[in-house]
Amino acid sequence: METAPLPELLRPREITEFVGQKHLTGTNGIVRKLLISAKRSGFFPSLIFWGPPGSGKTTLARIIANELKRPYYEFSAVAASIKDIEKIMKKGELFPPVVVIDEIHRFNKGQQAKLLPFVERGDITLIGATTENPSFEIIGPLLSRSRVLVLEQLGGKELKKILERGLKAVKIKIRKDALEFLIESSNGDARVLLNVLEIAKNITKDQSLSVSHISQALQKEQLTFDKRGEDYYNVISAYIKSMRASDVDAALYYLARMVEAGQDPLYIARRMVVFASEDIGMAQPTAVVIANEVFKACDTIGYPECAINLAHGTVYLALAKKDRSAYEAYFRAVEDVRRLGNLPVPLKIRNPVTKLMKGVGYGEGYDKYSKESNLPEKLKGKKYYT
């Protein structure tokens, strides 16, 4: 007889059993508060859960449906379509069903837009789960009708608690060094943790698991970088901030993390080009030339050799003097554009293309070497760049 995988068997069904995400599920957590409010009012908002793999997104969605005592439907955006959701509407449920869509970022913009009427009318309580940044992957109208809740990568203590449940379920012990190795190799992913535990249990007749058993079950080293998850943003952020702080060693470490995980070298090189203008700017204007050459080298050579070009560029940019004056000056100008709109361009610097334009004063009094401000009248004398 087939049995469910260990992660499914151990999946908690009540919020009190849920491990981790205390900022959401603790006594003062937003999910707890929303559930209490829903019991009084009957209303529960649509949510987008954003977090790394194995952090509890689907589990928490199921717990919410259970606590609300609502019909529950779960789909994967990889295989589902909007028609599947339309079929739910035809069932005529007494209360708005909870519809969980895993990997909702895989729905294209058109599919996401078709969800809007259901969410807007309150026909469903949508809970979308994604490892991708919702700001980039979820359309604005759907985001504005939902609340984004961020789930964090599970820590060692939380993984240990989950592992203890797993050990009890499969009735096996684990040595201390093997326990530490398994937790570290799981990369914060509870599903990986339990799957590896189950495999390790099934491939041995021993009463206690060793590092060797865990290593066999893993079959490969688990890199702590997920190209499709939260670390995608965390590692590139750490890389940029390390170069900004002129911390060469940290910058090289985070570069190695990305390269070894197979990150697109052109993605890294593009960020280097932006960094060269944003953070180095006028202190060393040739930095943008170097960054562009690294980009060209990566485009021409590719992996594995272009990793050396990326390292060369990283060291150069990290050691370069920093000056954000041009970057900051630009965004001060942007603030005025957004605040004041399209102010009239002074007549003297308008281009007199036709006789009529020249007749009404376009270009009149223009002196190409004048030190007088060319800003619109409302901004005369304004200084952005210092």
Side-chain angles (χ1 to χ4, degrees), residues 265-311:
L266 295 183
Y267 172 80
I268 302 170
R270 275 194 292 270
R271 296 303 298 265
M272 293 171 76
V273 174
V274 173
F275 178 86
S277 287
E278 181 177 330
D279 284 277
I280 297 172
M282 301 305 294
Q284 208 162 311
T286 51
V288 72
V289 178
I290 298 295
N292 265 303
E293 289 305 314
V294 171
F295 181 90
K296 289 178 187 175
C298 290
D299 193 29
T300 304
I301 300 169
Y303 279 148
E305 291 88 349
C306 77
I308 301 166
N309 304 115
L310 289 169

Side-chain angles (χ1 to χ4, degrees), residues 213-229:
H213 295 131
I214 301 302
S215 185
Q216 272 187 298
L218 279 166
Q219 284 298 300
K220 63 176 181 178
E221 184 180 356
Q222 300 294 303
L223 290 175
T224 54
F225 177 77
D226 174 17
K227 289 187 286 179
R228 301 297 297 171

Side-chain angles (χ1 to χ4, degrees), residues 104 107-116 137-139 142:
I104 192 171
F107 269 172
N108 60 39
K109 290 182 179 180
Q111 289 173 306
Q112 290 183 32
K114 287 181 179 178
L115 288 171
L116 284 174
E137 303 296 337
I138 309 297
I139 60 172
L142 191 55

Side-chain angles (χ1 to χ4, degrees), residues 181-193:
F181 177 59
L182 175 53
I183 288 175
E184 185 178 340
S185 300
S186 299
N187 191 24
D189 189 328
R191 190 183 299 108
V192 169
L193 179 93

Side-chain angles (χ1 to χ4, degrees), residues 125-275:
T125 294
L126 172 69
I127 302 182
T130 179
T131 55
E132 300 295 302
N133 189 329
S135 302
F136 305 138
E137 303 296 337
I138 309 297
I139 60 172
L142 191 55
L143 276 182
S144 69
R145 291 161 177 80
S146 310
R147 182 153 189 169
V148 177
L149 300 183
V150 179
L151 282 77
E152 299 168 352
Q153 187 179 63
L154 295 176
K157 288 183 180 179
E158 294 156 339
L159 289 172
K160 186 178 180 182
K161 190 172 182 179
I162 294 168
L163 179 56
E164 286 169 352
R165 291 181 183 178
L167 291 166
K168 188 176 180 181
V170 298
K171 299 176 181 177
I172 198 169
K173 295 180 180 179
I174 188 169
R175 296 173 192 172
K176 185 180 178 182
D177 57 348
L179 179 145
E180 292 171 355
F181 177 59
L182 175 53
I183 288 175
E184 185 178 340
S185 300
S186 299
N187 191 24
D189 189 328
R191 190 183 299 108
V192 169
L193 179 93
L194 294 174
N195 280 332
V196 171
L197 171 62
E198 188 170 32
I199 293 169
K201 165 67 168 66
N202 290 333
I203 62 174
T204 181
K205 293 180 180 179
D206 295 345
Q207 298 301 308
S208 182
L209 297 175
S210 66
V211 170
S212 176
H213 295 131
I214 301 302
S215 185
Q216 272 187 298
L218 279 166
Q219 284 298 300
K220 63 176 181 178
E221 184 180 356
Q222 300 294 303
L223 290 175
T224 54
F225 177 77
D226 174 17
K227 289 187 286 179
R228 301 297 297 171
E230 187 183 354
D231 265 8
Y232 182 97
Y233 305 99
N234 290 344
V235 177
I236 191 68
S237 173
Y239 172 67
I240 295 298
K241 288 184 171 88
S242 298
M243 288 198 296
R244 185 174 293 146
S246 300
D247 188 342
V248 181
D249 298 305
L252 285 170
Y253 167 76
Y254 290 115
L255 172 66
R257 281 271 294 272
M258 292 187 286
V259 170
E260 289 300 302
Q263 177 62 280
D264 180 2
L266 295 183
Y267 172 80
I268 302 170
R270 275 194 292 270
R271 296 303 298 265
M272 293 171 76
V273 174
V274 173
F275 178 86

